[in-house]
Amino acid sequence: MAQRRASPPREQRTMAEIEKETHKVQAETIKTISMMINVNVDTLETVGRQIEMTEGDLRKLASAQEDLNESQRLLNQIRRGIFSFGSTAKAKPLPLPNKMDGHDKDFQCKVGGRNRLVRLSTVMYVASESANEFYSSVPYQYVDGCVVKKDMKSVSLFFRGCYAETVGTKPMVIDFKAPALIPEFVRELKDRILQKGAADSTVRDEVRDKMSAGTARGDALFTLAFEDPSKAFVVQEDIVKKSQGIIQDLMRDYKDLETQSKKDGKQGAIEMDQVTDLTLRGLDIISSQLGDIKDDLEQHMKLLIQEEQMMMSLTIQADSLTQQNKELLAKDECCCVIL
């Protein structure tokens, strides 16, 4: 009779069960933090859209104010008897994906001395001037930063050393046909880099080290320099995109630790100091997001108050104009001369 296989020691089986259960709890913790952050991202986007809508309403009210002012001016002219009306070439090109309206940004320029279109989409495309095909595409995680040339007509993009085998070490020089668009290009590029985060763990460690030394995350992830510092401009960051990149990096770090734990035979359970660090980082993100939400809500409230005040002022002015028109039409001696 074949001998029965010996059961593993009770201690080993118990430790494996504990590690498996620990991994489950840790995964749920990280998942919960991720969900909370994503909810805050949605909230920031919603509040941002509400602010844009209110700002749009304010612009419409301002336009209405201008119309009323013009009506007042014309009415005053009527009173005076005058009513007048003012008078990369070696690469085999591939079909360029269709442009996504509201997301993609196109820039006409020269790359390598040839007329090209640079499209910032899910990746950065270097395409034909006609936008029919592209010659190269660069993931945003590969971009380390850029230098704006002193002539303010071109920029040099630099790539991270860890991707040198893929994209090489030479910078990409982009000469813009409309140099005034350089600030917009840099802003859009930086936002996309912040949104994607850092796929390489070494880069993520470098970014955290820079942030520990007092550097803002955006500046730690994307280096912006100017050959002529006197011509430097400030690049505003998209809060929502930055939050999306932060959670991406947090989940990448967790997945790396989880994978290593499984390789070590620990069922995916990671060390307590590691999960504590990830949890604290997640809570820091949530705390920062709540601060951003508070600021956005306060801004929205101020805009709504401003909108209410403008509405009251416009109503009073419109009522006054209506009354003046009635009085003017009621006068038999009213006459106007059309020039």
Side-chain angles (χ1 to χ4, degrees), residues 311-322:
M311 284 293 295
M312 292 174 62
S313 175
L314 287 172
T315 300
I316 293 172
Q317 186 176 0
D319 290 344
S320 174
L321 278 170
T322 300

Side-chain angles (χ1 to χ4, degrees), residues 22 25-27 29-30 33 254 257 270-281:
T22 301
V25 172
Q26 291 171 347
T29 300
I30 298 299
I33 290 174
Y254 172 67
L257 292 170
I270 63 178
E271 301 296 332
M272 288 307 299
D273 60 337
Q274 294 172 331
V275 76
T276 299
D277 175 65
L278 292 173
T279 302
L280 290 175
R281 283 169 54 192

Side-chain angles (χ1 to χ4, degrees), residues 3-208:
Q3 292 184 348
R4 295 177 59 186
R5 182 178 299 176
S7 300
R10 181 65 182 173
E11 294 78 5
Q12 291 184 14
R13 186 167 62 251
T14 301
M15 182 57 68
E17 292 172 352
I18 292 174
E19 289 173 343
K20 188 174 182 179
E21 184 65 25
T22 301
H23 172 236
K24 181 179 178 181
V25 172
Q26 291 171 347
E28 286 297 323
T29 300
I30 298 299
K31 181 180 178 181
T32 300
I33 290 174
S34 176
M35 290 175 60
M36 293 173 66
I37 292 172
N38 286 325
V39 167
N40 286 337
V41 167
D42 292 340
T43 303
L44 283 167
E45 289 180 327
T46 300
V47 175
R49 285 194 295 268
Q50 290 175 343
I51 289 175
E52 290 176 358
M53 291 174 62
T54 304
E55 288 175 338
D57 292 340
L58 287 172
R59 285 191 291 271
K60 292 177 182 177
L61 289 174
S63 178
Q65 178 76 63
E66 293 175 359
D67 292 341
L68 287 175
N69 290 341
E70 178 65 11
S71 296
Q72 182 69 66
R73 185 184 69 81
L74 294 175
L75 186 59
N76 291 340
Q77 289 177 338
I78 292 175
R79 283 200 175 113
R80 293 194 300 268
I82 302 174
F83 184 51
S84 62
F85 293 95
S87 45
T88 53
K90 292 183 180 180
K92 182 179 179 181
L94 297 171
L96 181 66
N98 292 332
K99 184 177 181 180
M100 293 187 285
D101 293 335
H103 177 270
D104 294 359
K105 298 291 182 180
D106 288 352
F107 300 88
Q108 292 289 345
C109 54
K110 285 190 175 183
V111 179
R114 296 180 174 85
N115 290 328
R116 292 287 184 259
L117 178 138
V118 171
R119 173 171 293 174
L120 300 182
S121 182
T122 52
V123 295
M124 184 177 72
Y125 292 105
V126 178
S128 62
E129 192 175 14
S130 59
N132 293 323
E133 53 193 15
F134 73 94
Y135 304 99
S136 62
S137 61
V138 181
Y140 296 112
Q141 295 96 325
Y142 288 18
V143 181
D144 191 14
C146 79
V147 175
V148 179
K149 300 296 186 178
K150 58 185 176 182
D151 61 5
M152 298 299 289
K153 296 180 180 179
S154 58
V155 301
S156 290
L157 296 187
F158 292 87
F159 303 103
R160 302 191 188 281
C162 54
Y163 300 112
E165 291 186 4
T166 304
V167 293
T169 57
K170 292 180 60 177
M172 177 190 292
V173 180
I174 303 176
D175 299 306
F176 288 81
K177 294 184 178 180
L181 294 179
I182 285 181
E184 180 185 356
F185 171 81
V186 174
R187 185 187 72 249
E188 293 288 344
L189 177 63
K190 183 174 183 179
D191 278 344
R192 284 163 168 74
I193 291 172
L194 291 180
Q195 185 179 32
K196 295 297 183 180
D200 186 81
S201 60
T202 303
V203 175
R204 295 199 297 274
D205 290 339
E206 292 173 352
V207 169
R208 279 194 292 273

